[in-house]
Amino acid sequence: IDSLSLSTNHIDDIFMSSKDREIVLSIFKAVYNHRGVRIDIIGTRHRHYVDTCIAIASCIRNNLYLSFKVIGEIFNKHHATIIYYCKNHKALYSYDKEYIEMYEIAEKVVDSYGINRNMPHTPLKEDTYYRMHVNDILRRENKSLRDNLIRCEKRIETLTGKIQKLSNISNW
């Protein structure tokens, strides 16, 4: 297992749109490759790793409009850590050339998906995006529940048949 897999292996379990998931994974891949993030520093307080997380989290927050809670789930961190990351982004972006380069790589990934970064943060647009996002999540959850229901119904049918056979054999 490599550092990218270790950091992102749980992302499929997080409720977000498939497009957001694809973009998040692409950001991780591009930034991790650029920074050469090693598996032995994943989850540590090593500055090289923390600054990488700050850039990725800030890029996600600034461009995908995901909540601090969801971004926290992406990083396996509490949402307060993500707020801390986003506050530190401004300082790092103002003086650290390596950080600026790393953040701009993340933004290029976002640009490659045609995300309009300059979209104004109006309550209406944010509310619409949020509702579309929730609808996507609910649609996927509904499909998953429907699939599980079908599997359970088939299992019940199989077990009912087995019970019937056993009843016939034992003259129940």
Side-chain angles (χ1 to χ4, degrees):
I1 190 166
D2 63 350
S3 58
L4 181 63
S5 299
L6 182 63
S7 296
T8 60
N9 64 357
H10 65 285
I11 289 183
D12 286 338
D13 300 330
I14 299 171
F15 288 125
M16 69 176 100
S17 73
S18 56
K19 185 174 183 178
D20 285 345
R21 181 176 292 107
E22 182 181 343
I23 295 169
V24 166
L25 290 170
S26 295
I27 292 170
F28 266 93
K29 183 177 181 180
V31 174
Y32 271 38
N33 286 339
H34 172 75
R35 291 284 278 191
V37 175
R38 299 182 324 268
I39 196 166
D40 62 317
I41 65 167
I42 300 296
T44 67
R45 292 183 178 188
H46 191 281
R47 180 171 178 193
H48 183 80
Y49 175 70
V50 173
D51 286 357
T52 303
C53 291
I54 290 171
I56 295 170
S58 297
C59 184
I60 292 169
R61 178 68 182 170
N62 293 339
N63 295 290
L64 300 182
Y65 308 106
L66 296 178
S67 68
F68 289 117
K69 181 181 182 302
V70 171
I71 299 170
E73 290 172 3
I74 291 169
F75 285 90
N76 285 322
K77 300 283 185 191
H78 192 271
H79 74 275
T81 303
I82 306 307
I83 294 170
Y84 170 80
Y85 283 174
C86 292
K87 285 181 181 178
N88 280 293
H89 165 73
K90 289 180 183 178
L92 287 168
Y93 196 81
S94 67
Y95 75 85
D96 188 330
K97 289 180 182 177
E98 285 183 33
Y99 181 85
I100 293 167
E101 185 179 338
M102 174 178 42
Y103 184 79
E104 288 177 354
I105 286 170
E107 292 236 311
K108 284 179 185 174
V109 170
V110 173
D111 289 343
S112 73
Y113 283 90
I115 302 295
N116 183 1
R117 266 189 273 141
N118 300 319
M119 186 169 78
H121 291 271
T122 63
L124 179 61
K125 285 192 177 187
E126 287 181 13
D127 185 55
T128 302
Y129 179 82
Y130 174 76
R131 288 174 192 264
M132 288 173 23
H133 180 69
V134 168
N135 281 340
D136 185 46
I137 290 168
L138 291 173
R139 236 181 256 111
R140 274 187 284 117
E141 183 68 17
N142 190 23
K143 182 183 181 324
S144 174
L145 289 170
R146 207 172 327 132
D147 292 344
N148 283 337
L149 178 62
I150 290 168
R151 277 194 296 277
C152 289
E153 287 172 342
K154 286 179 182 177
R155 181 75 176 140
I156 289 170
E157 190 177 309
T158 302
L159 291 172
T160 302
K162 287 180 180 181
I163 290 171
Q164 194 66 22
K165 285 180 184 178
L166 290 172
S167 294
N168 291 341
I169 292 171
S170 66
N171 293 324
W172 230 4

